[in-house]
Amino acid sequence: MAAAGNGLAALAAAVQDFVAGQQDGRAAEVAAGVKDGNWTVLQLVEALGSCLENTDPRTRGRGIQLLSQVLLQCYSLLQEKEVLHLVLFYENRLQDHHLVIPSVLQGLQALSMCEVLSPGLAVSVLKAIFQEVHVQSLLQVDRHTVYSIITNFMGTREEELKGLGADFTFGFIQVMDGEKDPRNLLVAFQIVRDLIAKSYTLGPFVEELFEVTSCYFPIDFTPPPNDPHGIQREDLILSLRAVLASTPQFAEFLLPLLIEKMDSDLQSAKLDSLQTLTACCAVYGQKELQEFLPSLWSSLRREVFQTASEKVEAECLAALHALSACLSCSVLSSDTEDLLDSFLSSILQDCRHHLCEPDMKLVWPSAKLLQAAAGASLRAYHHITRSVLPLLLEQYTRHSQSSQRRTILEMLLGFLELQQKWGHMEEDESTLLSLRASVCSVVFSALTDPNVQLQLVGIRALTVLGSLQGFLSPSDLELVVDHLIRLALHEKDFQSSEAAMEAAGSLAPVYPKVFSGHMVPRLEEELQSEREKESSHDHCSLRQRCLQALAAVSTHTSIVRETVPVLLQHLRKVQKGSEAGSTQDMVFVCQSLHRVALQCQQDVEGCWFYHQTVVPCLLAMAVQAAMQESTQPLLGKALLEEEVLAAMVPVISAATTHLSPELAAQSVSHVVPLFLDGEVSFLPQNSFPCSFQPFEDGECLEAQRRLVALLMAFVCSLPRNVAIPQQERLLRELLVLSCSCNCPFTATTAAKCFAGLVNKHPAGQQLDEILQLAVNRMEPSLAEGPCRMQTLTLLLWVTKALVLRYHPLSSHLTDKLLGLLGDAELGPAAADGFSLLMAESPDVLHKGCHADVRIMFRQRFFTDNVPKLVQGFHGAGPDMKANYLKGLSHVLNHLPKPVLVTELPTLLSLLLEALSCSDRVVQLSTLSCLQPLLLEAPQIMSLHVDTLVTKFLSLTSSPTMAVRIAALRCAHALTSLPITVLLPYKARVIRALAKPLDDKKRLVRKEAVAARGEWFLLGSPGR
């Protein structure tokens, strides 16, 4: 008893402190006590007794506030009988003084969330609120409480509220009427949506409900700066649009409003009206639209014909498309007029005649309107094309100028693309099928026109026609192939040639037999005849186009089986030849093979055929050439050129990356023994004059060692779950070769191959041992000896491999690299190495070849190493500072800009100092780093404007073109700084930028014009 008495005394003290002492924190303590069972809600009400009956409304208000705050935290603990009494108490208090009402509403909000609320109480509470509370005279937070009560009851007591009928709708209309706060409007709009979506009775209040919401249309709201609520204008627009477009019952009121707002001078009002109309068409039917169709079409037509805004035009076309789709979907009774036909007829009447004027302003707006309406349904498409397609074909024949024909063909193309959207064509309905001969004639004539732009449109039209199932006859297809070959090989303009190849690639999967039977043999024949002609520039160009066309058309497995042998045969012939241009020829073939590889990566069958055909063939040719180089130095030399081997690398890589693990394991079991043991039995034509030993010593084997590049392309592209046979031995051989080989190309590829394997190697003792072996090998070689540069290259690639996978040893190797920045011989190369560490590598150590690349490795590298670079810069001698600046600028240049902006204040002084460095690489890297920062962090950069202006203007006279261009771009970017900061420098900058206007390089002059123009406009009205 004593304990209970003490508890009630503590409760009474807490109540007294809250009510009289204004200690708001005691409410949380009382709520915690109720939750813990120290006292009940009934005891709290008893303790509040005198407060609730006090004659002072402020005291009563504080008492009810305490009770309500406790209920908001403890409503789930209440019993049904307690809820009943509390509801009756709160309803009664709604008639109390206005100071008390906010706290009463808080209590009702808590009770509205109770699951044990008795039937009928929700209706009783809402009736009391509707009758007793003038909601719009309350503060925003209290109005929000009322909306929350309504939302809670609609979620849990839907059937009870529906029993109120239209009275509930009317009551809510009174509550919402005059609401201005965007936070409350979002909730109110949601309530209206629920009223309609859940079929509450609107009764005679449809217009009133529309009026109470449509008065906010169009939304005109600009959020205040630093708004903590984060409500954007777009949120309100979308919420209101969902209300207005939620029911056809609003149509008779909404459509006149939308037509009125379309005529507004405000673009935002036009856009909102058009987007709302589009949304309405999804729920309206023919009956709702019928009365307003003429006015809607008139407004849409006027906007498209007259507007200068692409946004408004696009929304008008979307609205017209939606209207046409809505009318297409309406179900017609036997006595109902087909509004779609009459609507489309009015569109044709107003637009069709403009298509006869290809030089006039309204031709394209008219074509777009017709296409928007036609694209809504197949029925609409047939209606419009019956009238438009014959007219366009007639106009094409009537006009002879290429520019006019191009306009007409582009319009025709738009309608052809719509047919492509519908796919199938019925013989009895399709206008296009009935006009097949005329359409083909027009398109083929465009392909033979000397005007390049008309040719390009013709090629696009040809691609669309080819994609229409059953449209082109066999004879048409042969003609298509003839045109594509002519354009691809013999058209002087590169654009037409490239477009023809792309078209062939698009159509080949649709007609694989036609292209493999007609186009591939023709291309092979052209290639063969060109091989036999003199190697003039024109013939080289034609050979290149043949190779490109063979690659472009290889978009179907059956065609790949035809083209790949042709390409490989051509490569063999080039290898056997001895022309001066054979190196470039080989590169062209490799580029074509690479394109084919990329095109068949997603097809399992095609990918495996390509891999087992191309990879052994390339390896056999390379091994043959290397052995001939060893025994007869004049033969096969072109294939061993760095340029050719570098072109082979992406071919083998692309052929390997998408192999399944099973097929990759099958292939690796042949390739690795080839390089380690000279096992050549799997290669075609494997009768070689001597053994293949790329990892053995000896000058005569130098050519064989170069082929490690091909090994790198293969093993570094394998999926990570493919086991590599004799991997430890292979790693040791690569390690030795990368440190000891005198050929930079071979040493670098060996280092990259070693790094690629290390990156994917599973963590464990074996990896630790091989890495320790590498460190032990690198450290003495870096200190002294003839192979320091090769060892540095290995260090860079191994460091990159470990940095990407967050290996613990990466920090030790990075420190070693930082130490080399102070080395007189290796310092500059080590500084350039930071670019290698941060940049994307094209051939190894990237995600495309399954490397282990962790997210945000650049940010981690930055955090760990930039402080060391800065410290090293401050401690370095004058001759070595440039190395640290170069390394720093490379790191910053590859860092995501949002990260860089946060670190800018501490690093900006060093970046400015880097601009004074004489090293062109440092200058270029720093300028590339600063340009985006001028746009993204103008306030920080403006503090150093004097230094920036001086440095940039000085570098516009650099002897290096790339530096001049970058400096001018930075000078241009300076104009994004605050105008007040820049105005004192305006005259000086304009004078200085006059000099690069006369630069001997066109690209420099172009940047100077752009930059100087912006400085001239600085401070002018409207800027």
Side-chain angles (χ1 to χ4, degrees):
M1 290 291 291
N6 291 338
L8 291 175
L11 175 61
V15 168
Q16 185 65 23
D17 289 343
F18 183 90
V19 175
Q22 302 291 314
Q23 296 181 23
D24 291 348
R26 299 308 293 269
E29 296 175 19
V30 174
V34 172
K35 285 180 180 177
D36 295 341
N38 296 336
W39 44 73
T40 64
V41 172
L42 178 61
Q43 289 171 328
L44 172 59
V45 173
E46 291 172 349
L48 283 167
S50 59
C51 303
L52 301 178
E53 296 170 354
N54 197 293
T55 56
D56 181 11
R58 290 181 178 79
T59 304
R60 290 201 305 280
R62 287 292 288 180
I64 295 174
Q65 183 183 352
L66 175 59
L67 177 59
S68 297
Q69 288 187 12
V70 171
L71 288 178
L72 281 169
Q73 296 187 55
C74 307
Y75 64 85
S76 60
L77 304 175
L78 295 174
Q79 302 297 316
E80 185 175 349
K81 197 169 184 182
E82 292 176 318
V83 173
L84 173 63
H85 288 300
L86 286 167
V87 166
L88 295 174
F89 165 73
Y90 275 113
E91 282 183 9
N92 180 266
R93 290 297 178 169
L94 285 173
Q95 302 172 17
D96 205 333
H97 193 278
H98 68 87
L99 291 175
V100 178
I101 299 302
S103 300
V104 175
L105 292 172
Q106 273 192 338
L108 288 172
Q109 182 186 5
L111 296 172
S112 72
M113 294 185 281
C114 290
E115 294 181 5
V116 295
L117 195 71
S118 300
L121 287 183
V123 171
S124 174
V125 168
L126 289 180
K127 278 186 173 180
I129 290 175
F130 293 159
Q131 290 171 8
E132 305 296 344
V133 182
H134 184 248
V135 175
Q136 289 306 316
S137 65
L138 301 174
L139 295 174
Q140 178 272 326
V141 66
D142 302 321
R143 300 198 304 276
H144 194 278
T145 303
V146 174
Y147 295 125
S148 298
I149 293 169
I150 296 172
T151 301
N152 292 339
F153 283 146
M154 288 180 75
T156 58
R157 298 290 188 273
E158 182 179 327
E159 292 306 318
E160 290 181 36
L161 300 192
K162 285 182 177 177
L164 277 171
D167 290 344
F168 175 60
T169 304
F170 180 68
F172 173 72
I173 290 170
Q174 288 181 307
V175 167
M176 182 183 172
D177 194 11
E179 181 60 67
K180 291 183 176 63
D181 191 278
R183 292 165 288 181
N184 291 348
L185 283 173
L186 285 176
V187 185
F189 290 155
Q190 182 61 53
I191 292 172
V192 179
R193 289 212 298 279
D194 290 342
L195 278 173
I196 294 165
K198 296 179 180 178
S199 305
Y200 282 77
T201 305
L202 304 185
F205 303 115
V206 173
E207 186 172 1
E208 285 77 4
L209 186 61
F210 173 76
E211 292 295 339
V212 83
T213 51
S214 65
C215 61
Y216 302 101
F217 183 85
I219 293 288
D220 182 21
F221 167 68
T222 304
N226 304 318
D227 178 21
H229 308 291
I231 295 175
Q232 299 297 316
R233 178 171 174 270
E234 192 67 18
D235 300 328
L236 290 165
I237 287 174
L238 294 175
S239 190
L240 176 57
R241 185 177 301 150
V243 170
L244 297 177
S246 60
T247 173
Q249 295 179 76
F250 284 165
E252 60 179 304
F253 315 114
L254 177 59
L255 291 174
L257 175 64
L258 295 180
I259 292 168
E260 176 194 334
K261 297 300 180 185
M262 280 185 217
D263 297 338
S264 167
D265 292 333
L266 287 174
Q267 180 172 309
S268 59
K270 286 182 191 288
L271 292 172
D272 204 352
S273 302
L274 292 163
Q275 288 164 353
T276 304
L277 174 60
T278 302
C280 289
C281 289
V283 294
Y284 287 4
Q286 184 165 300
K287 182 181 71 172
E288 286 78 25
L289 293 171
Q290 182 169 7
E291 180 186 347
F292 303 99
L293 280 175
S295 300
L296 287 168
W297 164 238
S298 176
S299 296
L300 293 172
R301 182 191 64 215
R302 185 187 61 253
E303 287 301 326
V304 173
F305 279 179
Q306 296 178 2
T307 187
S309 165
E310 290 184 8
K311 285 184 181 178
V312 172
E313 181 188 87
E315 293 301 338
C316 283
L317 297 175
L320 181 60
H321 182 278
L323 281 170
S324 183
C326 178
L327 296 175
S328 300
C329 296
S330 297
V331 178
L332 302 176
S333 58
S334 57
D335 58 343
T336 310
E337 178 193 359
D338 186 355
L339 283 183
L340 177 65
D341 274 353
S342 58
F343 182 61
L344 295 178
S345 296
S346 62
I347 295 174
L348 282 166
Q349 183 181 344
D350 291 341
C351 296
R352 187 177 183 274
H353 61 279
H354 291 300
L355 303 184
C356 303
E357 304 162 344
D359 290 330
M360 303 304 286
K361 177 185 175 184
L362 294 181
V363 63
W364 269 115
S366 299
K368 289 176 182 176
L369 287 166
L370 288 166
Q371 287 166 6
S377 70
L378 195 54
R379 191 154 63 99
Y381 177 78
H382 287 320
H383 185 110
I384 287 181
T385 53
R386 270 198 305 270
S387 173
V388 170
L389 289 187
L391 175 68
L392 289 175
L393 294 169
E394 177 195 336
Q395 291 300 313
Y396 186 91
T397 308
R398 181 175 296 178
H399 292 85
S400 57
Q401 289 185 19
S402 296
S403 59
Q404 295 172 328
R405 287 189 158 194
R406 177 191 167 197
T407 300
I408 295 165
L409 188 56
E410 282 184 326
M411 290 190 285
L412 180 63
L413 176 61
F415 288 102
L416 294 178
E417 286 171 340
L418 292 178
Q419 177 67 66
Q420 190 180 29
K421 170 184 172 183
W422 303 119
H424 63 281
M425 293 184 289
E426 292 86 357
E427 290 281 351
D428 56 336
E429 285 190 26
S430 176
T431 307
L432 195 55
L433 274 177
S434 64
L435 297 170
R436 181 194 342 232
S438 301
V439 171
C440 288
S441 173
V442 162
V443 172
F444 291 153
S445 76
L447 298 178
T448 55
D449 195 278
N451 183 278
V452 173
Q453 297 306 315
L454 181 54
Q455 282 181 13
L456 292 173
V457 181
I459 293 169
R460 285 164 55 204
L462 188 67
T463 308
V464 174
L465 290 179
S467 68
L468 299 176
Q469 202 69 36
F471 185 82
L472 295 174
S473 66
S475 59
D476 288 335
L477 285 170
E478 289 188 24
L479 203 52
V480 166
V481 171
D482 289 341
H483 280 298
L484 290 178
I485 291 173
R486 178 184 55 79
L487 289 166
L489 301 186
H490 304 294
E491 177 56 48
K492 290 182 180 179
D493 187 83
F494 173 76
Q495 288 182 78
S496 293
S497 174
E498 186 66 32
M501 292 182 200
E502 292 296 332
S506 300
L507 295 177
V510 186
Y511 310 101
K513 289 184 179 178
V514 175
F515 279 84
S516 61
H518 290 81
M519 190 166 189
V520 175
R522 289 272 301 280
L523 291 172
E524 183 180 6
E525 185 183 326
E526 287 277 358
L527 194 61
Q528 180 64 31
S529 63
E530 284 306 311
R531 230 5 251 150
E532 294 165 0
K533 293 178 184 176
E534 294 179 13
S535 184
S536 67
H537 175 74
D538 289 343
H539 294 305
C540 286
S541 175
L542 186 54
R543 275 204 298 275
Q544 184 183 358
R545 285 195 181 186
C546 281
L547 295 169
Q548 289 172 337
L550 282 166
V553 80
S554 303
T555 49
H556 189 273
T557 304
S558 64
I559 302 175
V560 171
R561 291 179 182 275
E562 302 286 336
T563 55
V564 165
V566 174
L567 291 169
L568 292 176
Q569 182 62 27
H570 182 70
L571 187 61
R572 290 191 195 96
K573 288 185 177 179
V574 175
Q575 182 191 9
K576 291 175 183 175
S578 57
E579 298 104 32
S582 59
T583 299
Q584 196 58 49
D585 252 2
M586 288 183 173
V587 171
F588 289 153
V589 180
C590 290
Q591 289 171 347
S592 294
L593 285 169
H594 181 228
R595 180 170 178 175
V596 178
L598 295 176
Q599 288 168 180
C600 62
Q601 278 180 337
Q602 304 307 321
D603 174 47
V604 176
E605 181 191 347
C607 186
W608 178 235
F609 165 78
Y610 182 91
H611 181 89
Q612 63 181 152
T613 305
V614 173
V615 173
C617 181
L618 292 182
L619 289 173
M621 291 170 65
V623 170
Q624 180 80 40
M627 290 182 179
Q628 287 176 342
E629 176 72 7
S630 304
T631 56
Q632 299 167 303
L634 293 177
L635 293 176
K637 190 171 178 62
L639 197 63
L640 302 175
E641 294 283 348
E642 289 181 20
E643 190 180 356
V644 177
L645 289 173
M648 283 187 181
V649 166
V651 177
I652 294 175
S653 179
T656 308
T657 52
H658 285 66
L659 288 181
S660 67
E662 297 77 22
L663 295 176
Q666 186 178 329
S667 190
V668 76
S669 66
H670 296 305
V671 176
V672 172
L674 167 68
F675 281 85
L676 287 179
D677 305 316
E679 180 55 61
V680 297
S681 59
F682 81 101
L683 297 178
Q685 301 170 353
N686 53 22
S687 56
F688 301 119
C690 59
S691 58
F692 182 58
Q693 301 171 315
F695 291 114
E696 296 295 324
D697 291 333
E699 285 188 25
C700 63
L701 298 177
E702 178 56 45
Q704 295 186 18
R705 285 195 281 272
R706 296 166 78 84
L707 303 194
V708 170
L710 306 185
L711 173 67
M712 173 200 75
F714 177 78
V715 294
C716 291
S717 301
L718 292 168
R720 259 187 271 175
N721 56 353
V722 174
I724 297 175
Q726 306 181 69
Q727 185 169 9
E728 308 311 314
R729 178 187 164 196
L730 178 61
L731 284 166
R732 291 170 190 272
E733 296 284 12
L734 289 167
L735 180 60
V736 172
L737 185 61
S738 62
C739 288
S740 60
C741 183
N742 293 324
C743 171
F745 175 79
T746 304
T748 301
T749 52
K752 288 160 75 172
C753 190
F754 180 85
L757 292 173
V758 161
N759 173 265
K760 297 181 192 178
H761 199 296
Q765 184 180 352
Q766 284 185 327
L767 177 63
D768 294 340
E769 287 175 0
I770 199 71
L771 287 174
Q772 191 57 53
L773 185 68
V775 171
N776 294 343
R777 178 99 190 190
M778 287 188 289
E779 285 184 344
S781 297
L782 283 170
E784 57 183 359
C787 298
R788 296 186 75 203
M789 191 58 74
Q790 293 94 312
T791 309
L792 172 61
T793 302
L794 176 64
L795 172 64
L796 285 168
W797 282 104
V798 174
T799 305
K800 183 179 179 72
L802 300 183
V803 164
L804 292 178
R805 65 180 281 178
Y806 289 177
H807 192 278
L809 187 62
S810 63
S811 56
H812 171 71
L813 297 183
T814 308
D815 289 342
K816 179 72 65 179
L817 193 58
L818 287 165
L820 290 173
L821 291 174
D823 186 284
E825 181 187 352
L826 297 181
D832 283 328
F834 281 88
S835 176
L836 185 152
L837 295 181
M838 300 295 282
E840 192 79 19
S841 173
D843 43 12
V844 294
L845 297 178
H846 60 87
K847 287 185 178 179
C849 64
H850 312 289
D852 186 356
V853 181
R854 305 297 176 89
I855 59 170
M856 302 201 330
F857 76 91
R858 292 183 178 88
Q859 289 89 319
R860 179 169 175 165
F861 188 87
F862 170 86
T863 305
D864 291 346
N865 297 294
V866 164
K868 298 175 185 176
L869 276 168
V870 173
Q871 184 181 354
F873 169 80
H874 291 304
D879 296 340
M880 297 300 161
K881 284 186 181 291
N883 294 337
Y884 288 91
L885 285 175
K886 185 187 287 188
L888 178 66
S889 66
H890 283 316
V891 173
L892 299 183
N893 204 24
H894 290 94
L895 198 66
K897 293 304 175 271
V899 179
L900 186 52
V901 168
T902 59
E903 303 290 338
L904 190 57
T906 56
L907 296 172
L908 189 53
S909 58
L910 273 179
L911 285 172
L912 295 176
E913 191 161 347
L915 290 177
S916 302
C917 179
S918 58
D919 190 305
R920 305 301 178 210
V921 176
V922 177
Q923 292 173 354
L924 188 58
S925 180
T926 308
L927 289 168
S928 302
C929 185
L930 286 172
Q931 185 193 351
L933 295 177
L934 289 164
L935 304 174
E936 295 174 28
Q939 297 302 326
I940 300 172
M941 302 297 279
S942 61
L943 301 174
H944 302 268
V945 65
D946 189 67
T947 309
L948 289 168
V949 168
T950 304
K951 302 277 190 190
F952 293 160
L953 294 181
S954 169
L955 290 173
T956 59
S957 302
S958 167
T960 306
M961 183 183 80
V963 173
R964 297 201 299 278
I965 290 173
L968 287 166
R969 285 176 179 165
C970 287
H972 189 167
L974 276 173
T975 57
S976 63
L977 302 187
I979 291 177
T980 51
V981 175
L982 297 177
L983 282 176
Y985 302 93
K986 181 176 178 179
R988 174 186 165 192
V989 172
I990 290 173
R991 278 197 310 274
L993 291 180
K995 182 182 176 185
L997 291 177
D998 294 326
D999 197 279
K1000 59 185 178 182
K1001 295 292 185 181
R1002 182 184 63 81
L1003 293 176
V1004 177
R1005 297 196 298 273
K1006 178 183 172 185
E1007 295 296 339
V1009 168
R1012 198 163 186 255
E1014 281 298 317
W1015 276 91
F1016 260 118
L1017 293 172
L1018 204 66
S1020 58
R1023 299 293 292 176

